Amino acid sequence: MADEVRYEVSGPVATVTMNRPEYRNAQNSAMTYALDAAFTRAVDDDEVKVVVLAGAGKHFSAGHDIGTPGRDVDRSFERKAVLWWDHVGKEGGDQRYAREMEVYLGMCRRWREIPKPTIAMVQGACIAGGLMLAWVCDLIVASDDAFFADPVVRMGIPGVEYFAHPWVLGPRAAKEFLFTGGRFDAAWALQRGMVNRVVPREELQKETQALAEQVATMPRFGLALTKRAVNQAEDQMGLRAGMDSVFGLHHFAHAHNAETAKDSLAGMDARSMRDASGS
């Protein structure tokens, strides 16, 4: 497991912590595969009943790494999420599609199916790719200073790769969320059912641990089957098929940008995206 992720166990609860606080836990591939290794470790440990996903420092996650010194888009890792060729050495849409299908859409779907309950513990920024990391979890506990945004429409792209917006927010709130690209606070997210609980920042870890321990009192196999039942119902409501269709639109937008703008991100970088979303 790489330094980008920490792994700790307390009683029946494993806490997996993203550990790039200096970059607001921006997600590069090294972090992605370290997260996967940590989740695998928790699944294989029979003493662990519940998994908490956290972010070190002030923020949960500012999203995909699109500009730190640790950005590693040209690096190969052991592929686990989808059966496709490596993106390294490929060109154009071939390269981007292969990478994003693996490290973004594929990994998020893999983590959504973890057979143990998962709880996202969110403070500060949860932006764009950070939403994907929180949304794959079964429950979300947010601090009162948490805020959420998906500003990638500013790039001309219809939302992040794991397009769960209409299911976690409802269609109209999802449109407001995407059309404005602005910051929405934890109270707004709670009102729309995107998070389960909002607690004071200083109580976030304690309250999340208490919820995890409460869930952990239930039978392990019963929890696994219940999680699968709800996920299957959500898929029957169109989540998986809808996500596949939007993934195609997502890549069409990248291709359009590459032909008409400075690059596939429409010339935007981490700083301009941060400034545009007011975070």
Side-chain angles (χ1 to χ4, degrees):
M1 196 182 305
D3 294 338
E4 286 82 0
V5 169
R6 299 199 311 261
Y7 183 87
E8 302 163 285
V9 175
S10 176
V13 180
T15 300
V16 176
T17 303
M18 295 177 283
N19 192 34
R20 299 185 78 206
E22 67 275 28
Y23 303 118
R24 303 199 301 170
N25 295 315
Q27 180 191 2
N28 59 4
S29 292
M31 176 183 281
T32 297
Y33 287 95
L35 284 171
D36 191 66
F39 290 141
T40 300
R41 182 174 174 181
V43 170
D44 288 340
D45 186 345
D46 286 343
E47 300 302 313
V48 169
K49 299 283 291 294
V50 179
V51 184
V52 171
L53 175 63
K58 186 178 178 181
H59 299 287
F60 177 75
S61 176
H64 299 332
D65 186 343
I66 59 173
T68 82
R71 191 172 186 230
D72 51 13
V73 293
D74 295 325
R75 219 179 127 192
S76 289
F77 291 82
E78 181 184 359
R79 299 180 305 284
K80 296 181 179 179
V82 297
L83 185 59
W84 201 264
W85 48 70
D86 192 359
H87 71 283
V88 174
K90 309 303 186 296
E91 297 181 349
D94 187 353
Q95 185 271 345
R96 183 174 294 276
Y97 187 85
R99 180 174 185 269
E100 294 195 356
M101 186 168 57
E102 166 70 15
V103 300
Y104 297 151
L105 180 60
M107 275 297 180
C108 283
R109 283 177 164 172
R110 175 175 165 86
W111 299 336
R112 176 177 176 254
E113 298 301 323
I114 291 171
K116 296 182 179 181
T118 55
I119 304 174
M121 183 170 68
V122 177
Q123 81 282 5
C126 183
I127 299 175
L131 295 168
M132 298 164 53
L133 299 172
W135 286 349
V136 299
C137 294
D138 303 303
L139 306 175
I140 301 176
V141 180
S143 64
D144 53 10
D145 67 345
F147 58 92
F148 305 86
D150 189 352
V152 302
V153 177
R154 298 184 189 279
M155 298 176 175
I157 298 170
V160 290
E161 296 85 351
Y162 186 84
F163 191 83
H165 307 62
W167 289 269
V168 300
L169 286 168
R172 295 200 186 282
K175 288 175 182 177
E176 179 185 6
F177 194 65
L178 290 162
F179 288 176
T180 65
R183 287 172 47 165
F184 293 83
D185 64 20
W188 184 92
L190 179 66
Q191 186 178 26
R192 285 150 187 82
M194 195 182 93
V195 305
N196 296 88
R197 302 182 183 184
V198 176
V199 302
R201 174 65 175 266
E202 62 271 17
E203 301 292 324
L204 180 61
Q205 185 171 4
K206 183 180 78 171
E207 293 291 334
T208 305
Q209 181 73 18
L211 176 59
E213 290 177 356
Q214 180 183 4
V215 173
T217 63
M218 301 294 278
R220 184 183 65 170
F221 192 51
L223 288 169
L225 294 180
T226 302
K227 175 169 180 170
R228 192 162 183 81
V230 176
N231 282 1
Q232 287 175 345
E234 196 174 25
D235 287 339
Q236 289 171 353
M237 294 163 66
L239 173 64
R240 188 176 183 89
M243 204 174 283
D244 282 336
S245 68
V246 178
F247 191 65
L249 296 176
H250 182 98
H251 281 276
F252 177 65
H254 276 312
H256 177 76
N257 286 342
E259 288 193 25
T260 63
K262 179 181 176 181
D263 54 35
S264 63
L265 301 180
M268 300 196 78
D269 57 18
R271 183 179 296 276
S272 61
M273 289 293 284
R274 181 195 65 193
D275 294 344
S277 65
S279 59

